[in-house]
Amino acid sequence: MPDFLLEIGCEEIPARMIDAGAEELQRRVRDLLQRERLSASGIITRFDTPRRLAVIAQDIASSQPDVTETLNGPSVNVAFKDGQPTPAAQAFARKVGVDVTRLARVTTPKGEYVAAEVTRKGRSAREILSENLPKEISAIPWPKNMYWRKPGERYVRPVRWIVAMLDEQVLPLTFADVAAGNFSRGHRLLSDGPVAIPRAGSDYVDVMERVKVLGKDAREKQIRRALDAMTRTVPGARWREDKALLDTVVNLTEFPSVILGSFDPEFLALAEEVLVTVMRDHQKYFAIEDAGGKLKPHFLAVLNVDGDPAGVIRHGHERVLRARFNDARFFWQTDQKISLLNRVKLLKNVTFQKDLGSYYEKTLRVQRLCSWISESVRQGGTAIRPGVVHKAACLAKADLTTELVKEFTELQGIVGGLYARVQPLDEDLPEATRFAIADTIYDQYKPESMDDGVPRSVEGAVLSIGDKADTVAGMFALGLQPTGSKDPFALRRQANGIVKTIAEHKLPISLSVLFMDAYNAYQHGPVRAKFVERGKYKDVVASFFRERLEFYLKDVLGFSYDVVNAVLAGRAGCDNIVDAVTRARDVNAVRVTADFQVIAAAFKRTKNILRQAKEMGRTIPESLLTIPPGAQPEEQRLSQVVSEVLPAFKELVLRRDYAGGLREMAKLRVPLDEFFDKVMVMVDEVNLRDRRLALLNTILFQFSSIADLSEIVTAGSA
């Protein structure tokens, strides 16, 4: 069985696009092989660098297996008249490629029909791959594409060569006016001309290594070894681990090496955040620190060449970094001429969003919203300093007018926090309070991802939530919510940040109240005429945050999908994030117990019976626990146990002792089991049926305040 190789060589692909593009190509090749019944071993690997995406599939089928199937035609009555084939039978025979005399008869539930057994000969892998691969390549979704003259043919960068092979055989494939062959290219600087690939499979990787092109894992290992080796030349130093930067430089190189550079120690007087941002985000350098985490006047640069023995490249990097640091120092000194307090009015000239006004207007809204949030947090029993929040909200966006943020946009918020620490904010303001305000401003954009930490203080959490809620509310009110994979205003990320911050700080904040307050903060502006109707806004925001909380519970906290579904489908819903997390934790803790499994199965059965009754047009009384004399013992017993358990259950839920409430629910196991074993609910007698439906409806409603247990997957259910 042959191996298959596809390599698309092109101009350098942006580093941020490589991983997603390579994964998509690998997935498309896998799906194509499975769809066309060519996949055998299932081993499909990828090999990607800035100049190529490649996929290797081992031991694929050389051709599709033949398929024999029985095709049904018209009914016998239509196919034959007086024992002779009709035009309908002849047309069917021609369609399936058999003589009409070879048509058989089959009996189906619908009657007797004519049929034919047809063998479809499998197509060769060569033919299938040559025909389909250009379409699969063109269908890769890139953030930005380049187009050629042929309609529908597109790729992220101009294609320069293609390798497409089955073992030693080249596939007749053309894409972007480039015909496939068996010649690839090595490193742009460290190899000479095209290189022949003798055979698809592992030979490809070996050939690439000989021409100084390494796979992703090999490049990362080589970079890590080089970073370690260079750092050891600086006594007492270590390089600062940065996974995101490492991923970037891996995707910027094909055969990496590392050099050690230095800068003037006088620059260490600048804030560390500024220095690291210049090195990391602008120059792609790794910072070097001492054992205590303090920066040292050195950096590590990853090259795409085999070293720098003469030091020419190192000298160039040092010169560029010195200029960037000088710029940063100049901007810092210039910015101190205008205080943050005096910069607030300058925000009137900085647009937040064309319909939502300026950042000055946003500042006023966020101040009001944060005051409401602070009061809600205080009433919920959490200690907070509202004055710190109010002052920080006033100054939070002022750094958008600074030269340092204009040059280094990654530092917005951080610069404001740094400036607040060194500038007098108010006369007689204690230093500790000023530092608290500075830290609140510094953390306002946290968390920037689910891997990022939340703000350090409650005040920082409130400002972060208020700022993000104002943005989300304004965009949703304008009808600019995310659609599909498009989220130009990063609303999903901001909503994720709100959920994570509330959950980790355990803040008593109602999402519905928060977003109605945020909506109402716009009430005095002319933009309200463009807003969607209040009820629609409320429903869309609620649905959006349900998705975000579901993502947080499943993908961040790791709860199973059925536990999450049960918690969010319960009567308590998802308005209180902290409460939802607690309920998920407690449900997850007891879901494996025998009592819980039986109760969950009973609730599932209860919900199905009630749904069927509604589909039949039955009216179900909302509440009934009193069972009259003469009822079946199991019915009376269930009613009695529910009446005994329910008060204690409600008290435990009120105290948010959900684990205790679930243990109390476990007392329903035996009577529920006996009820469903002995009692028929859907009987013909109307009063009896309605009474039993009402009892089940009461149980389902009353005990769903923690979670809808019918959503739990039990043994034997899917």
Side-chain angles (χ1 to χ4, degrees), residues 90-366:
Q90 294 170 347
F92 174 66
R94 285 195 302 271
K95 177 182 176 181
V96 297
V98 301
D99 190 89
V100 71
T101 59
R102 294 179 56 195
L103 294 178
R105 299 188 181 197
V106 294
T107 301
T108 73
K110 295 182 179 181
E112 195 174 20
Y113 287 77
V114 295
E117 190 174 86
V118 178
T119 299
R120 299 188 184 277
K121 187 170 180 60
R123 301 169 65 199
S124 69
R126 173 186 172 90
E127 179 185 358
I128 293 170
L129 294 172
S130 299
E131 176 185 315
N132 288 280
L133 284 175
K135 292 182 288 188
E136 297 294 341
I137 296 170
S138 188
I140 297 174
W142 300 97
K144 290 185 179 180
N145 275 297
M146 299 186 74
Y147 296 82
W148 282 263
R149 293 180 180 178
K150 189 175 180 180
E153 202 165 65
R154 58 185 186 177
Y155 199 64
V156 63
R157 286 294 184 268
V159 175
R160 298 307 185 198
W161 76 91
I162 296 175
V163 177
M165 302 174 65
L166 283 175
D167 282 346
E168 299 86 0
Q169 183 183 32
V170 174
L171 297 179
L173 180 156
T174 300
F175 176 77
D177 295 329
V178 177
N182 63 341
F183 279 86
S184 180
R185 301 184 191 179
H187 191 284
R188 191 184 291 276
L189 300 176
L190 303 178
S191 65
D192 299 321
V195 56
I197 307 298
R199 188 183 183 281
S202 58
D203 287 359
Y204 169 76
V205 178
D206 296 338
V207 171
M208 288 296 101
E209 289 182 359
R210 289 200 296 271
V211 292
K212 304 297 185 181
V213 176
L214 302 179
K216 181 176 181 178
D217 291 344
R219 297 199 304 275
E220 180 173 340
K221 291 178 182 177
Q222 185 155 305
I223 290 172
R224 283 187 174 278
R225 286 195 298 267
L227 290 171
D228 291 340
M230 284 296 177
T231 304
R232 283 195 290 270
T233 65
V234 181
R238 65 188 182 193
W239 60 277
R240 183 170 290 183
E241 179 72 37
D242 190 330
K243 185 63 170 61
L245 178 57
L246 183 62
D247 289 343
T248 297
V249 296
V250 165
N251 282 341
L252 286 172
T253 58
E254 290 192 321
F255 194 83
S257 62
V258 174
I259 58 171
L260 173 70
S262 303
F263 58 85
D264 195 321
E266 71 176 15
F267 288 118
L268 293 175
L270 279 171
E272 177 181 306
E273 294 87 346
V274 176
L275 298 177
V276 172
T277 296
V278 172
M279 288 190 287
R280 178 188 191 275
D281 295 339
H282 290 258
Q283 301 303 125
K284 305 296 183 291
Y285 299 161
F286 288 87
I288 292 183
E289 60 188 17
D290 61 21
K294 186 177 179 180
L295 283 184
K296 296 181 76 69
H298 303 282
F299 65 90
L300 295 165
V302 177
L303 310 180
N304 192 28
V305 293
D306 192 11
D308 177 35
V312 175
I313 300 175
R314 173 185 56 79
H315 178 70
H317 280 289
E318 290 175 340
R319 188 176 68 251
V320 170
L321 187 60
R322 182 169 61 250
R324 299 292 285 177
F325 280 169
N326 275 322
D327 288 346
R329 181 165 57 186
F330 172 78
F331 293 141
W332 178 286
Q333 294 169 349
T334 300
D335 287 340
Q336 305 313 311
K337 297 175 182 178
I338 304 177
S339 69
L340 288 178
L341 285 171
N342 291 330
R343 288 183 180 277
V344 173
K345 60 179 179 293
L346 301 179
L347 292 172
K348 295 178 180 179
N349 300 318
V350 183
T351 300
F352 167 52
Q353 198 271 345
K354 64 182 182 67
D355 290 316
L356 301 180
S358 67
Y359 269 99
Y360 181 80
E361 294 169 296
K362 179 178 176 66
T363 295
L364 298 180
R365 290 194 306 272
V366 171

Side-chain angles (χ1 to χ4, degrees), residues 600-611:
F603 270 62
K604 192 183 300 293
R605 187 172 178 181
T606 297
K607 197 169 187 178
N608 288 336
I609 291 172
L610 293 172
R611 185 182 65 249

Side-chain angles (χ1 to χ4, degrees), residues 641-701:
V641 173
V642 170
S643 298
E644 294 170 355
V645 168
L646 191 55
F649 173 81
K650 287 183 175 180
E651 177 63 27
L652 290 166
V653 170
L654 190 63
R655 299 204 308 260
R656 296 188 177 177
D657 181 0
Y658 301 125
L662 291 167
R663 287 193 296 270
E664 195 69 22
M665 279 182 63
K667 297 176 181 178
L668 299 177
R669 172 187 175 175
V670 174
L672 268 174
D673 214 13
E674 292 175 346
F675 177 85
F676 282 118
D677 189 42
K678 302 291 186 180
V679 177
M680 173 66 72
V681 177
M682 299 301 288
V683 295
D684 292 333
E685 206 280 303
V686 175
N687 292 333
L688 186 59
R689 181 186 63 235
D690 287 351
R691 186 181 75 208
R692 291 170 179 172
L693 287 172
L695 175 60
L696 293 179
N697 195 40
T698 300
I699 294 171
L700 186 66
F701 178 80

Side-chain angles (χ1 to χ4, degrees), residues 440-462:
T440 301
I441 296 172
Y442 188 99
D443 288 349
Q444 65 180 291
Y445 293 105
K446 286 181 170 290
E448 296 188 10
S449 70
M450 281 301 188
D451 296 326
D452 191 18
V454 299
R456 293 163 288 177
S457 66
V458 174
E459 293 78 17
V462 168

